[in-house]
Amino acid sequence: MSSPGRNQPCPCGSGRPFADCCGRPGASEGASIRDCALTKLLAFAFHPAFDSDHSIAEFLFWGNLIREGTTPELRWLLESEDATIKYNSWFLFDWEIESAATVAQIFLQEEHANLSPAERQFMRRLCDAHLRLYEVECVERGLGVHLLDLWTSERSFVIEREATDRIVTWDLLGARVSPDGTGGNVFEGGLYVYPAEVKDAIIRHFRRLQRRHHRKQPFDTLSTFFRRHGAVFHHLWLQLVAFPDPPQLVTAEGDPFVFCRSVFETDQPEALRAELAARADMRVMPDGQLSWREPGQDGQRELGSWGIEGHRIVLETTSQERASRGRAWLESLFGDRVRYRATALETLEQTMNELRTQPPRRSPLALDMPDESAGAVRELFDRHYRSWIDRPVPALGNRSPRAAARASLWRPKLMDLLKQLENAAERAARSGRPDYDFGWIWTELGLSRPGNQ
C-alpha cells in the first residue's frame, strides 16, 4: 500500500490529515498500530452480516435527510468525507448491536486473538471514548486546544493541528477525546463545532435528556448516557448549524421584530432635542442618542432611540407598532413643530436574505486595509461598546451590562454574552475583518475572564 499524501486523510480513520496524525515524525509505530487495528475493525463492521444494522443506523443518524437527499447540497453533505467519518465513528463506538455492546466491543471480543497487544490496547482506548460537550477556552494554532468539560468542569489540553484552523475561542464542541497512549489527549473520529450562541440551547437539550435517562436508568454512568445519545450531537449539528431554522424574533410586547427608521422634519432641531432630553422617559446616551424607555416586568426596557440629523428627527426601533406609537407620541408632544416624512422597514429575514445573496469572498480588509484604517474601525468598535455597556440589553433582562455585572443572578449570563461577542469577532477576523480585543470590557465591568488564556 502506498503512503498517503501529507494532506490526505489518515488511513487510521482519525479524520485528521496524514501529516498531523500517523505521518508525523516519530509516529511510525503508532501509525502501524492505528492503521492495522482500524483497518481490521472497518472490515469487520462492514461485513454483510451488519447490513441490516447499517440500514437502521443510517436512518437514525440522518433522519429523513437520507431519503430526501436529492438536492446537490444534501447529496454533497451525505457523501462528504466528514459525514463518513462522523457516521463511522458513531456506528463503531456508540451504536449498540446486541446486549448493549457496540460494534467495536464485539470486534474486540471476537477478534481478540487476531490483534496484537498494542492493537488491543489502542482499541480499548477508543471503546472507552465517547462524545462529550466541551467549551474551547483557548486555541494554540497548530498545537492544540484547551477545553472545559461542560458536565464535570474538568479542564484538558487536546493535541491537534488541523482543526485549530477552524476552531475559535468559546466554540462549543461535540468531541470524542481519547488518551493517545503517551500521556496526551487527541480527538478521535468526527468533530462537531457549534457557535457560542447555541450553547444554552444545546445544554438545555442534553439536561432534559439526562433527566429522562436517569429516571429510566438511575444507575447508568455519565459515560453511558452520552454514548447512548451520541447521535444527538449530529442531530443538533444538522438543526443548529447545517440547516438552522430562521429565527422568529418578537419584541417584549409580542410584535414581530422589524427594523424601523422613522423620519420627521423640524425647523427647531436643537430646541426639540433639549425638550426630549429633559423628559423622565429619556436617557441621554454617551453617543448622543436619546434612549426612549418605559417600565417593564424586568425593569426599564428600551422602546427605541431618537437622534437628530440636521433638521431631521429620526426614530429607530424594532417593530411597526413601536414606530406608530413613537410617531403618535412625538406629534402629541410637538404638534406642527414636527412633520412626519416616512418610515423605512426591513425584516430580519430580508436582512439575512440580502446577506445570503452576496457572493462569498474573502474580505479585502485583510489585504488592502492600511493599519490606520483598521485602527479607525477598532475605534468605532470602542465607541460602540463604551456606549453598549451602559445600555439596556434584552438578553440581560433589559439591564445594562454594567448593572448585570453587579448582580449575581445576571453575571453568568453577561459572561456568556461576552463570550458570544468574542466568538463572533474572532470568526469575523478569520474572514479578514479587523480583529477586536474585548479584554478591556471584562476589566471595565470587574469580571475575571475565564479560561486558559
Side-chain angles (χ1 to χ4, degrees):
M1 179 185 298
S2 61
S3 176
R6 286 180 54 81
N7 295 319
Q8 290 182 320
C10 187
C12 74
S14 68
R16 299 190 296 275
F18 177 68
D20 291 338
C21 189
C22 300
R24 68 185 187 274
S28 57
E29 183 179 354
S32 176
I33 294 170
R34 290 181 67 94
D35 194 1
C36 291
L38 287 172
T39 297
K40 294 173 184 177
L41 173 59
L42 288 169
F44 178 83
F46 282 88
H47 187 278
F50 289 107
D51 284 352
S52 60
D53 293 289
H54 279 291
S55 298
I56 299 172
E58 286 178 346
F59 181 74
L60 291 176
F61 192 72
W62 288 104
N64 288 327
L65 286 180
I66 201 166
R67 295 176 177 172
E68 301 169 358
T70 55
T71 65
E73 293 83 2
L74 283 177
R75 182 51 52 191
W76 175 87
L77 175 63
L78 291 168
E79 297 176 354
S80 68
E81 177 188 318
D82 181 61
T84 299
I85 292 172
K86 287 174 176 174
Y87 169 76
N88 284 348
S89 57
W90 172 75
F91 181 79
L92 295 173
F93 302 109
D94 296 338
W95 170 255
E96 295 179 348
I97 299 294
E98 56 188 34
S99 303
T102 65
V103 175
Q105 289 168 339
I106 296 172
F107 165 76
L108 192 56
Q109 180 180 359
E110 295 186 2
E111 300 294 322
H112 186 274
N114 296 325
L115 298 172
S116 70
E119 288 172 345
R120 289 196 291 270
Q121 186 179 30
F122 169 72
M123 287 303 308
R124 291 190 188 100
R125 290 200 303 269
L126 262 64
C127 286
D128 290 338
H130 53 276
L131 288 166
R132 291 283 281 268
L133 282 173
Y134 299 93
E135 185 175 61
V136 177
E137 293 193 323
C138 183
V139 180
E140 296 186 30
R141 301 296 168 206
L143 296 175
V145 292
H146 294 267
L147 301 180
L148 173 69
D149 187 316
L150 291 176
W151 247 248
T152 65
S153 297
E154 295 177 356
R155 288 182 166 86
S156 60
F157 179 75
V158 176
I159 302 167
E160 178 59 50
R161 295 183 183 180
E162 186 268 340
T164 58
D165 289 333
R166 58 189 177 95
I167 296 173
V168 301
T169 308
W170 307 129
D171 273 345
L172 186 68
L173 299 185
R176 196 182 302 269
V177 176
S178 174
D180 65 359
T182 60
N185 296 305
V186 293
F187 290 131
E188 295 289 356
L191 186 67
Y192 294 99
V193 182
Y194 310 96
E197 62 262 24
V198 301
K199 172 184 171 182
D200 287 346
I202 290 180
I203 289 179
R204 282 197 303 269
H205 187 72
F206 272 104
R207 293 290 186 200
R208 287 194 295 268
L209 292 176
Q210 187 182 27
R211 288 193 295 270
R212 188 184 309 163
H213 182 86
H214 182 72
R215 287 195 295 269
K216 296 179 179 179
Q217 304 291 340
F219 300 108
D220 275 356
T221 64
L222 193 59
S223 300
T224 301
F225 161 73
F226 275 112
R227 177 173 289 109
R228 291 184 176 174
H229 292 83
V232 175
F233 290 87
H234 188 67
H235 299 160
L236 289 172
W237 181 82
L238 291 173
Q239 175 186 342
L240 300 174
V241 180
F243 306 106
D245 293 328
Q248 301 295 321
L249 299 182
V250 296
T251 64
E253 300 92 334
D255 300 316
F257 195 96
V258 180
F259 296 107
C260 298
R261 178 181 167 88
S262 300
V263 178
F264 306 81
E265 288 187 351
T266 180
D267 297 326
Q268 309 168 30
E270 293 306 321
L272 268 57
R273 185 188 187 285
E275 292 182 41
L276 286 173
R279 293 186 57 86
D281 50 2
M282 288 287 180
R283 179 180 293 183
V284 180
M285 305 307 297
D287 61 0
Q289 294 287 100
L290 301 175
S291 175
W292 179 32
R293 305 184 178 199
E294 71 174 6
Q297 292 182 348
D298 297 313
Q300 291 241 317
R301 65 168 172 243
E302 186 176 58
L303 296 174
S305 64
W306 297 88
I308 305 296
E309 299 178 0
H311 284 269
R312 291 181 172 184
I313 299 177
V314 177
L315 167 64
E316 293 183 339
T317 188
T318 53
S319 74
Q320 290 179 266
E321 289 72 12
R322 287 183 178 182
S324 298
R325 180 178 167 186
R327 175 184 176 181
W329 179 79
L330 191 71
E331 291 175 339
S332 69
L333 282 178
F334 300 126
D336 58 8
R337 289 196 290 169
V338 295
R339 298 174 295 279
Y340 171 73
R341 288 300 179 227
T343 297
L345 309 177
E346 186 175 272
T347 66
L348 185 61
E349 183 177 1
Q350 288 172 322
T351 303
M352 293 176 65
N353 286 337
E354 181 179 346
L355 292 173
R356 291 191 191 103
T357 58
Q358 297 175 359
R361 60 184 178 89
R362 179 173 173 79
S363 170
L365 295 175
L367 301 176
D368 305 327
M369 176 172 282
D371 291 342
E372 59 269 21
S373 297
V377 173
R378 295 188 187 100
E379 186 177 334
L380 288 174
F381 283 142
D382 278 338
R383 289 205 298 269
H384 168 75
Y385 284 113
R386 290 196 183 279
S387 169
W388 175 80
I389 61 178
D390 291 306
R391 284 178 174 269
V393 176
L396 301 174
N398 285 307
R399 292 165 176 78
S400 70
R402 196 183 299 278
R406 295 192 294 264
S408 58
L409 176 64
W410 290 95
R411 195 177 302 120
K413 297 181 183 296
L414 170 61
M415 294 174 71
D416 279 341
L417 182 58
L418 289 175
K419 289 178 182 180
Q420 292 174 26
L421 293 173
E422 288 190 348
N423 182 260
E426 188 172 343
R427 287 212 170 275
R430 290 292 192 85
S431 67
R433 302 174 192 172
D435 59 356
Y436 188 74
D437 184 0
F438 287 82
W440 72 267
I441 299 182
W442 293 89
T443 302
E444 176 73 17
L445 297 177
L447 299 173
S448 176
R449 190 172 184 274
N452 188 342
Q453 308 299 332

